[in-house]
Amino acid sequence: MNMTEQYMISMTDVMEAEKILRNVVKNTPLEHSRIFSEITGSDVYLKLENLQTTGSFKIRGAYNKIYHLSQEEKKNGVVAASAGNHSQGVAYAAKTLNTKAVIFMPIFTPPIKVIATKYYGAEVQLYGYSYDDAYKKAIEYAEKHKMSYIHAFNDPYIIAGQATIGLEIFESLKDVEAVIVPIGGGGLISGISFALKSLNSKIKIIGVEAEGAPSMKQSLEKGEIVPLKTADTIADGIAVKIPGPLTFEMTRIYVDDVVTVTDDEIAYAMYMLLTRNKLVAEPAGAASLAALLSGKVNLKGKKVVSIISGGNVDYTLLSQIIFKGLMTEKLLFKIKVKILDKPGQLKKILEFLSQKQINVIDIETDRISQKLNAGSVYITLTIQAVGQENLTAIEEFMKQENIEYTLDF
């Protein structure tokens, strides 16, 4: 037995974690989604960890780990590194268990996550451009100040805490056939896959990474841990350059497949969750659904659970994703027209749109483009419309009035 195997969890560890967490975390809803079932051909259920205390699953592992520290270790305090969700879990758990927490976060962490971490009582230090940069600095700080480092994923107590999600899924849906789980460092999928495979070895576990940060997938393909040079994705919660030895080994043993999804596929899944299910998910939290909606995972006819792992999204990013989704569905689009730069020309267009009850939400002008003739102007209108009928009417009007135009979706 190697050192990694010695530190693997048991079902006794998972059941103990469930008892410890029972009155601390929420048994989050497992909701059937009619719309996503129709779209994918699978029988889709959503495990809503975006509704968990602190907005993600991370509180489970963080609380379980800090709970098991000695009284002396708790007195000295804890240190963690995180892109956001683990930091909030550690901060909340530390406050609940009366111990100090110092959290290192990458400098571009969404402000909402920094604010929330401070709100839960932790001291926040921003450092580096990725989780891995913050991690190295946090380790140095912990050693210097004799504090306990709370790893985001590569720890048996962390993994056992996350595994309680698997228990909840099985308790609610014993005939589940497949579970799709986002992967960052691998703590979540290690715990869920271990718990569910222990309860029913036939359940398929599929991991999902961002295409710009496929550290676990590449490591599994090469049979050894391979660090990434960069991790470039909107899904900051799973932008991890290197999986842990323990999570790598557990994923290798218990996970059936790992796929990747693009940022556009993640953004579309976020938009669909918001507009169809009225659920806010962060990019990492929507990755598992993105794998289903994009067809990267084909489980037609199967009873599938998609883990929506977190909801702590940066609102600036969310607004951008909403606008992009509306344009994809042709509910919002831009039309660029070239008209004479004189009174009445724009008014004619706006009056037509008003008659059709088409809302103009933004107007941009360009008089300095090299492509413009003297005395002309480009006007770009951002338009809120309903379906192809409005679009067709606008195109017919532009042709009738001999207005040069281009459409952008």
Side-chain angles (χ1 to χ4, degrees), residues 70-366:
S70 68
Q71 288 304 313
E72 183 179 353
E73 287 172 325
K74 288 175 185 172
K75 183 180 177 181
N76 291 338
V78 298
V79 179
S82 170
N85 288 336
H86 179 61
S87 67
Q88 292 175 62
V90 170
Y92 182 91
K95 185 176 182 179
T96 306
L97 293 167
N98 298 311
T99 185
K100 177 186 177 183
V102 180
I103 312 293
F104 286 81
M105 307 174 83
I107 60 176
F108 294 122
T109 300
I112 187 173
K113 295 185 179 183
V114 177
I115 292 167
T117 304
K118 290 180 178 178
Y119 172 79
Y120 292 126
E123 175 188 331
V124 174
Q125 296 197 24
L126 299 178
Y127 182 85
Y129 295 96
S130 68
Y131 161 78
D132 302 271
D133 294 335
Y135 166 70
K136 292 173 185 175
K137 192 68 176 177
I139 290 291
E140 292 176 9
Y141 187 94
E143 291 175 353
K144 180 179 179 181
H145 296 275
K146 301 189 185 325
M147 299 170 76
S148 297
Y149 182 73
I150 310 300
H151 201 284
F153 47 86
N154 197 62
D155 183 283
Y157 289 118
I158 295 288
I159 293 169
Q162 323 305 25
T164 58
I165 297 171
L167 295 183
E168 291 176 10
I169 291 171
F170 193 77
E171 181 183 342
S172 300
L173 196 68
K174 286 188 169 55
D175 56 346
V176 59
E177 296 175 273
V179 179
I180 307 174
V181 188
I183 299 179
L188 179 63
I189 199 167
S190 294
I192 289 176
S193 63
F194 172 78
L196 288 173
K197 291 284 189 179
S198 298
L199 294 165
N200 179 358
S201 62
K202 293 182 180 179
I203 297 172
K204 298 293 184 186
I205 309 294
I206 299 169
V208 183
E209 289 188 298
E211 192 176 83
S215 57
M216 185 69 80
K217 183 174 176 62
Q218 288 192 12
S219 295
L220 291 171
E221 288 172 350
K222 295 187 178 179
E224 61 181 1
I225 295 175
V226 181
L228 298 177
K229 292 182 180 179
T230 60
D232 184 13
T233 172
I234 62 170
D236 56 286
I238 52 174
V240 177
K241 291 181 182 177
I242 180 169
L246 179 54
T247 57
F248 169 75
E249 190 66 14
M250 292 188 72
T251 302
R252 186 185 67 80
I253 294 170
Y254 296 109
V255 175
D256 296 283
D257 193 17
V258 176
V259 301
T260 62
V261 290
T262 67
D263 280 359
D264 281 346
E265 288 163 346
I266 290 171
Y268 181 67
M270 291 173 66
Y271 174 77
M272 292 294 283
L273 278 166
L274 184 62
T275 58
R276 303 307 194 269
N277 285 70
K278 311 304 181 248
L279 293 167
V280 175
E282 63 189 274
S288 58
L289 182 62
L292 265 179
L293 295 180
S294 66
K296 299 287 181 66
V297 173
N298 184 348
L299 293 166
K300 284 184 169 59
K302 301 291 185 183
K303 191 161 288 190
V304 181
V305 172
S306 174
I307 307 294
I308 309 302
S309 60
N312 295 315
V313 63
D314 176 68
Y315 291 131
T316 302
L317 174 64
L318 182 61
S319 65
Q320 182 182 4
I321 286 169
I322 291 170
F323 274 100
K324 186 171 182 178
L326 289 169
M327 293 183 76
T328 299
E329 294 196 294
K330 296 183 179 179
L331 299 175
L332 190 75
F333 58 92
K334 291 189 175 186
I335 181 165
K336 183 178 182 180
V337 298
K338 180 183 176 182
I339 58 177
L340 293 175
D341 192 6
K342 64 180 185 179
Q345 295 297 302
L346 177 58
K347 180 183 177 183
K348 181 169 56 176
I349 296 172
L350 295 178
E351 284 180 344
F352 167 77
L353 296 175
S354 177
Q355 289 169 7
K356 292 293 183 179
Q357 296 184 326
I358 296 171
N359 190 30
V360 178
I361 61 175
D362 192 34
I363 300 176
E364 303 171 45
T365 61
D366 176 10

Side-chain angles (χ1 to χ4, degrees), residues 52-76:
Q52 184 56 264
T53 303
T54 72
S56 88
F57 72 95
K58 289 287 192 176
I59 180 60
R60 296 174 183 264
Y63 191 95
N64 192 46
K65 172 63 177 179
I66 296 173
Y67 179 90
H68 281 93
L69 295 177
S70 68
Q71 288 304 313
E72 183 179 353
E73 287 172 325
K74 288 175 185 172
K75 183 180 177 181
N76 291 338

